[in-house]
Amino acid sequence: KLLQLTVDVGEPAPRTIVAGIAQAYPDPAALVGKRIVVVANLAPRPLRGITSQGMLLAAGEAPNLQLVTVGEGIAPGTRVK
């Protein structure tokens, strides 16, 4: 049920995020290149032995869950207002 993602949030190193979206996204390769919205001001938290360094935003219920995305013109690390 969990996916481990490596996400560019505009910092020197990418962040690892563990998210319960595997049912909605059975092929993780479909997420490569998507510009998603991430909550990055959370304390790191261990989930199933992996430290998650943030939370992604999604709408809906599995299996029809969809990630909240932004347009191509938005750079990684841009703050959401």
Side-chain angles (χ1 to χ4, degrees), residues 5-68:
L5 308 169
T6 301
V7 181
D8 178 1
V9 293
E11 298 172 342
R15 288 188 183 217
T16 298
I17 295 179
V18 178
I21 62 170
Q23 188 177 10
Y25 293 92
D27 179 14
L31 299 172
V32 174
K34 286 195 179 279
R35 296 181 181 270
I36 63 172
V37 177
V38 172
V39 179
N41 63 345
L42 302 173
R45 181 175 178 178
L47 293 171
R48 305 269 175 143
I50 303 167
T51 301
S52 184
Q53 301 169 311
M55 180 173 60
L56 55 82
L57 293 184
E61 296 293 328
N64 299 318
L65 187 72
Q66 292 190 11
L67 294 176
V68 176

